[in-house]
Amino acid sequence: VTLWLTLHPCMYPENNRMTWPMALVEVNTLILTANKELKSPLLTHAFHATWVGMRLIWTPWATYNNHYTIVTWGAPTGSYHWMQTVGASIFLCALNFYWTAEVI
């Protein structure tokens, strides 16, 4: 899904601005990986904070931003390009909320 999502800006560079907001959530993954190695309480708190902030707040905003960008670009809702960008983003958001529900 992520590869398919990032392929669109590679093929259509005018939509490159859609890449960084979705890639920014990988800071959370970096903190998780660092915490597995360092086992720091500070990193544990940072992981939880970035999970909520980036995965549950930022990613839905970035998905909305992708929708606005792709529709403004001319792709109708439900089209291939919309599904590739917004549909994939919605799927990733759903996974974030599903994983959160599993822990709670």
Side-chain angles (χ1 to χ4, degrees):
V1 170
T2 304
L3 179 61
W4 190 44
L5 173 61
T6 56
L7 183 61
H8 178 82
C10 292
M11 302 293 290
Y12 304 95
E14 64 271 22
N15 290 328
N16 275 344
R17 66 187 171 277
M18 293 172 37
T19 305
W20 74 265
M22 295 303 290
L24 191 61
V25 300
E26 296 310 324
V27 168
N28 176 257
T29 306
L30 178 66
I31 293 171
L32 173 65
T33 304
N35 194 33
K36 285 182 180 180
E37 293 297 319
L38 302 174
K39 306 203 186 324
S40 163
L42 180 62
L43 287 174
T44 300
H45 294 300
F47 169 72
H48 291 125
T50 57
W51 182 273
V52 171
M54 294 182 152
R55 299 215 179 245
L56 303 182
I57 297 170
W58 179 263
T59 304
W61 173 85
T63 299
Y64 171 78
N65 187 51
N66 284 354
H67 168 74
Y68 179 80
T69 299
I70 204 71
V71 168
T72 303
W73 182 63
T77 301
S79 68
Y80 175 81
H81 293 295
W82 188 90
M83 291 300 293
Q84 183 180 22
T85 55
V86 182
S89 299
I90 290 170
F91 180 75
L92 292 172
C93 280
L95 279 177
N96 289 333
F97 282 98
Y98 175 76
W99 292 329
T100 301
E102 278 189 325
V103 172
I104 293 176

